[in-house]
Amino acid sequence: MRITNIESIILLDKLHIVKVHTDEGLVGVGEVSPMNAHVSHSVVEQALAPLLIGEEATDIERLWRRLYTKPYKLGPGGAQLNAIAGIDIALWDLLGKAAGLPTYQLLGGKYRQSAKVYASSMSRSMTPEQEAERAQSFQEKGFHGYKIHSSTPWMHDDGFDQTIATVTAVRKLVGDDFPILVDVNNAYYEHTAIKLAHALEDLGVWHFEEPLAAHDYAAYGRLADAVDIPIAAGEQEYTTWQFRDLILDGKVDILQPDVIKCGGITEFKKIAVLADTFTKPITVHNTQQTIGTSAHAHLWVSTPSCVYPQEYNIEHNPILDDVPIWKNPLVPVNGEITPWDLPGLGIELDDDAVAKLRTN
């Protein structure tokens, strides 16, 4: 089964999906993290696609290494790994379709039947009371926790921050047994993060996500030593080597790879082995409710270390809520997601919807 074409598609000028076409007529579908769709599109078309045409589509490990090493002066990290992720996910989709098996079966089968998810609120425009009411509504829908984003990203102690007020309001409405998670997107210096972590411990927060600059592993290590609350990070790490350093130097408690950022399913599997080696749980970074969530779902049910409820973005998504790009959307039911028992990722794209939203 030879690769004949890599189709890079930008939707609504900001979202990025990839199709891998083969000489047997099978097509695999993947998604790229939407940090900058035009940049990742260029990487796919100019740097990666020429390396794949004519290659055997099922040689995924060899092809991943080729995509990683040949254009290595582009990174490797960021846009290169994001672009590789879209292609790699499509190759795993293809492999499942060729084998007639769901992708999770190719990853070792089901360790668990479904994955619990928590509601991830991306809004920074609500008052603490409004956020609390929203959290309570998702608690009533069966979600297994609620995450807030409560400060200005990378603000260096100098920006909008209503973390304590919001957690206090949410805890008052949801009670003591409903998990609250806090993501501050690299907002603090070390001394402030330690102070906030102790306050969040007292409020019963489940995990404290990315409180420090992503690159400062030494500070993460000191933070982890100073507090008891679980520290979570990893959405800005792309390879097993970076996760190795995040574990050994950063001493984080919870790892957060994102399959559409970290080089796809191939690299995610290796990160999961690393997590097991160091007895670390994985709670993924998952903000894309379409192909990204489907790819994650196959990993969640087949990966032992994905033990806690995983992230599910609850914000409005135009390619899911307005003009759905697939015919069989994978959405939470009573706070759980179960991947389709269909070949590959189980995605049935609506080509008419894709064409309507396409902007390249």
Side-chain angles (χ1 to χ4, degrees), residues 2-300:
R2 299 285 172 177
I3 297 171
T4 57
N5 184 38
I6 307 293
E7 188 179 4
S8 181
I9 302 169
I10 298 176
L11 302 175
L12 298 173
D13 212 35
K14 61 182 178 179
L15 302 171
H16 188 188
I17 66 174
V18 176
K19 289 184 177 182
V20 177
H21 298 262
T22 68
D23 59 0
E24 294 188 8
L26 293 178
V27 179
V29 180
E31 184 170 13
V32 180
S33 182
M35 296 300 100
N36 189 313
H38 290 278
V39 171
S40 54
H41 168 71
S42 180
V43 174
V44 170
E45 285 209 327
Q46 302 299 319
L48 303 183
L51 299 174
L52 296 174
I53 304 304
E55 295 288 338
E56 170 55 53
T58 60
D59 291 343
I60 297 177
E61 189 70 47
R62 181 178 64 83
L63 295 180
W64 195 96
R65 189 64 59 136
R66 182 177 177 84
L67 296 177
Y68 182 80
T69 58
K70 291 292 185 180
Y72 73 96
K73 291 187 182 294
L74 293 178
Q80 182 185 348
L81 268 292
N82 290 351
I84 290 174
I87 293 171
D88 183 80
I89 292 167
L91 291 174
W92 279 96
D93 184 35
L94 265 176
L95 185 62
K97 289 173 178 175
L101 293 171
T103 297
Y104 69 75
Q105 292 284 10
L106 306 176
L107 300 174
K110 281 191 174 181
Y111 184 84
R112 53 184 64 85
Q113 290 301 308
S114 61
K116 296 177 181 179
V117 294
Y118 68 81
S120 186
S121 169
M122 302 293 168
S123 174
R124 290 181 173 86
S125 62
M126 290 186 289
T127 66
E129 292 71 27
Q130 289 170 331
E131 191 86 77
E133 291 174 358
R134 193 185 201 196
Q136 187 178 48
S137 73
F138 280 91
Q139 180 185 30
E140 292 169 352
K141 293 176 183 177
F143 281 75
H144 298 269
Y146 187 87
K147 184 164 78 179
I148 64 169
H149 292 75
S150 50
S151 60
T152 303
W154 292 90
M155 73 177 187
H156 299 102
D157 283 358
D158 184 24
F160 168 81
D161 186 10
Q162 58 181 22
T163 299
I164 299 302
T166 302
V167 173
T168 301
V170 173
R171 179 59 72 207
K172 182 178 179 180
L173 279 191
V174 302
D176 293 334
D177 297 329
F178 187 64
I180 301 173
L181 303 87
V182 172
D183 184 358
V184 292
N185 295 111
N186 320 105
Y188 306 128
Y189 287 117
E190 182 181 337
H191 59 278
T192 305
I194 292 173
K195 178 182 177 181
L196 264 290
H198 286 307
L200 295 176
E201 287 174 12
D202 293 340
L203 288 165
V205 167
W206 169 236
H207 90 206
F208 190 22
E209 182 173 333
E210 286 204 314
L212 302 169
H215 54 264
D216 197 349
Y217 292 168
Y220 269 102
R222 293 189 295 269
L223 173 65
D225 287 339
V227 303
D228 293 328
I229 189 172
I231 303 299
E235 70 175 82
Q236 297 185 69
E237 277 69 35
Y238 301 90
T239 65
T240 50
W241 302 283
Q242 288 175 305
F243 276 93
R244 173 199 61 196
D245 295 341
L246 187 62
I247 293 168
L248 293 178
D249 299 330
K251 301 180 184 179
V252 301
D253 301 286
I254 297 172
L255 304 180
Q256 295 183 288
D258 184 330
V259 72
I260 65 173
K261 297 178 74 172
C262 72
I265 291 172
T266 297
E267 191 70 357
F268 189 107
K269 289 194 309 166
K270 296 173 184 177
I271 293 166
V273 171
L274 195 65
D276 273 342
T277 302
F278 288 94
T279 321
K280 299 286 185 180
I282 289 175
T283 302
V284 303
H285 177 263
N286 176 51
T287 59
Q288 301 308 302
Q289 304 108 312
T290 54
I291 301 166
T293 287
S294 184
H296 272 135
H298 286 266
L299 289 161
W300 293 339

